[in-house]
Amino acid sequence: MKVLVIGGGAREHALCRSLSLDPDVSALYCAPGNAGIAEVAELYPVDALDGAAVAALATELGAGLVVVGPEAPLVAGVADAVRAAGIPVFGPSAEAALLEGSKAFAKDVMASAGVPTARSYLCTTPEEVDEALDAFGAPYVVKDDGLAAGKGVVVTADLAAARAHALACDRVVIEEFLDGPEVSLFAITDGVTVLPLQPAQDFKRALDGDEGPNTGGMGAYSPLPWADPKLVDEVMASVLQPTVDELRRRGTPFSGLLYAGLAITSRGVRVIEFNARFGDPETQVVLARLRTPLASVLLGAATGTLHTEPPLNWREDAAVTVVIASHNYPETPRTGDPIEGLAEVAAEDAPEAYVLHAGTRREGDAVVSAGGRVLSVTATGSDLAQARERAYKAVGRIRLDGSQHRTDIAAKAAEGR
């Protein structure tokens, strides 16, 4: 089949890489893509938020499947427009994508479905903000109700900083702090059947030791050697299936990728947030471990036939991703800097290590930075220690002026801590 992927980040590069290795995919397109995706897919310009334009492009290309990567097009109804054109699309409707587009909507769904999550208040006035912050105390967890490109959440012990973030949002969800390690678990669903993927852990803080500001994610790893072997089954039963069932009951069935951000607390698993698409950078490590060809699974979700798919097949290998970010990320990142060393990684480290492009573009013969998170260096190995060693060896070959990366991705897990 011919597949069109919408988006232009490292998540979409990971999806395109997996789809390009799938023998069932006869042609692969990406819009708008980036400099790295251009090596595995044919790029087309498109406004990813314009459903009519995306549907027209998919029709023109004869796509048999459209995969919508980022959250903003989903919330804007791009998947609806493609479905209306009669083309199978992997991604939820705008109504179902509110699970990510509105924290308050997600909390309401969880309450109805009996899904365990943090206690919270939805606030729209300064008085309500002050009452909620006072009720929960530090550390304060303040979430913009809407989409904020991974920067809408502030977790801080500083009351003034928490209040300032809350007052900068139109609607804000303030909730209790959840202790314990965090886990990301993806599930592919057609609105009835739910197919969980392997869990991963990402690193949100900009600096080593989980210091510094929150980011979109500075690295990830999978599997989680410290996690309970029954974790996936437990989350399926208490979180994923009830949520999918509740959305179907409401008349807004969710098909696509349901992402559960979880806290493994002293009182059990709690949902931190839902996303309506593959997470970045967790997708990079999860797909690195998936042996099952991707296209048929995504098509099964898009066409309501997921129950006919065989169980997913996973590699025993571990995977680690290290994000290389531009100067001053996550504040106002600098762009336009040349990136060197990509050919060296391809020549010296492949196939065990490879570079997925996030914020890049081509200028003549050069590849330059074009965003905050620039590259996701991903590696596999027999265990986390080997995958980590390979990833950082490849990171060491990349030269980008002023760039930054964390040096402790998967370090504790690799050491059995």
Side-chain angles (χ1 to χ4, degrees), residues 140-162:
Y140 305 101
V141 181
V142 184
K143 299 181 175 182
D144 191 330
D145 181 54
L147 295 180
K151 297 170 188 170
V153 179
V154 165
V155 181
T156 179
D158 184 334
L159 177 59

Side-chain angles (χ1 to χ4, degrees), residues 30-383:
C30 187
N34 62 39
I37 295 173
E39 296 176 10
V40 295
E42 194 175 335
L43 302 191
Y44 286 85
V46 77
D47 178 354
L49 297 175
D50 186 337
V54 171
L57 176 61
T59 302
E60 178 188 334
L61 295 173
L65 174 66
V66 175
V67 180
V68 183
E71 60 273 24
L74 292 169
V75 172
V78 168
D80 301 270
V82 175
R83 276 194 195 91
I87 301 169
V89 57
F90 182 80
S93 66
E95 280 190 296
L98 271 179
L99 202 60
E100 176 169 5
S102 168
K103 304 291 189 298
F105 175 76
K107 288 288 187 182
D108 186 60
V109 169
M110 284 188 269
S112 298
V115 170
T117 187
R119 293 181 299 120
S120 65
Y121 295 106
L122 173 64
C123 306
T124 57
T125 68
E127 292 75 22
E128 289 174 346
V129 165
D130 290 338
E131 286 178 23
L133 292 172
D134 183 58
F136 288 130
Y140 305 101
V141 181
V142 184
K143 299 181 175 182
D144 191 330
D145 181 54
L147 295 180
K151 297 170 188 170
V153 179
V154 165
V155 181
T156 179
D158 184 334
L159 177 59
R163 190 172 190 273
H165 181 66
L167 296 180
C169 306
D170 286 337
R171 284 156 50 97
V172 65
V173 171
I174 295 174
E175 63 183 38
E176 67 176 327
F177 177 76
L178 297 174
D179 65 327
E182 295 184 13
V183 173
S184 299
L185 185 61
F186 302 163
I188 292 171
T189 178
D190 58 7
V192 178
T193 301
V194 181
L195 201 60
L197 306 186
Q198 288 290 304
Q201 186 175 60
D202 78 332
F203 294 75
K204 290 293 188 196
R205 298 284 186 175
L207 307 176
D208 284 6
D210 290 327
E211 299 289 335
N214 257 354
T215 72
M218 294 298 290
Y221 70 93
S222 180
L224 311 181
W226 49 268
D228 187 330
K230 297 176 184 174
L231 176 65
V232 173
D233 290 340
E234 180 187 341
V235 175
M236 266 291 291
S238 66
V239 175
L240 298 171
Q241 192 71 57
T243 300
V244 169
D245 292 345
E246 172 62 19
L247 285 166
R248 189 176 67 253
R249 187 190 68 78
R250 291 177 176 221
T252 55
F254 186 107
S255 73
L257 195 289
L258 178 58
Y259 164 123
L262 309 164
I264 313 301
T265 78
S266 54
R267 295 169 292 139
V269 173
R270 297 288 186 272
V271 174
I272 300 170
E273 65 176 351
F274 282 125
N275 290 340
R277 39 73 195 182
F278 279 101
D280 182 346
E282 300 97 319
T283 301
Q284 289 86 301
V285 291
V286 172
L287 291 186
R289 300 186 57 224
L290 180 64
R291 185 177 274 126
T292 300
L294 188 60
S296 66
V297 183
L298 302 186
L299 184 64
T303 56
T305 57
L306 203 55
H307 64 283
T308 66
E309 289 293 319
L312 296 177
N313 189 357
W314 296 93
R315 294 184 176 88
E316 292 297 318
D317 286 358
V320 171
T321 284
V322 180
V323 170
I324 297 178
S326 54
H327 176 73
N328 203 39
Y329 176 77
E331 300 306 322
T332 308
R334 192 174 77 204
T335 60
D337 289 311
I339 302 166
E340 298 177 339
L342 298 173
E344 292 174 39
V345 175
E348 301 293 333
D349 303 309
E352 291 82 12
Y354 48 88
V355 180
L356 298 169
H357 292 229
T360 69
R361 67 173 184 269
R362 188 166 283 281
E363 285 187 357
D365 292 333
V367 175
V368 303
S369 61
R373 291 186 295 173
V374 182
L375 304 169
S376 284
V377 180
T378 302
T380 56
S382 59
D383 56 21

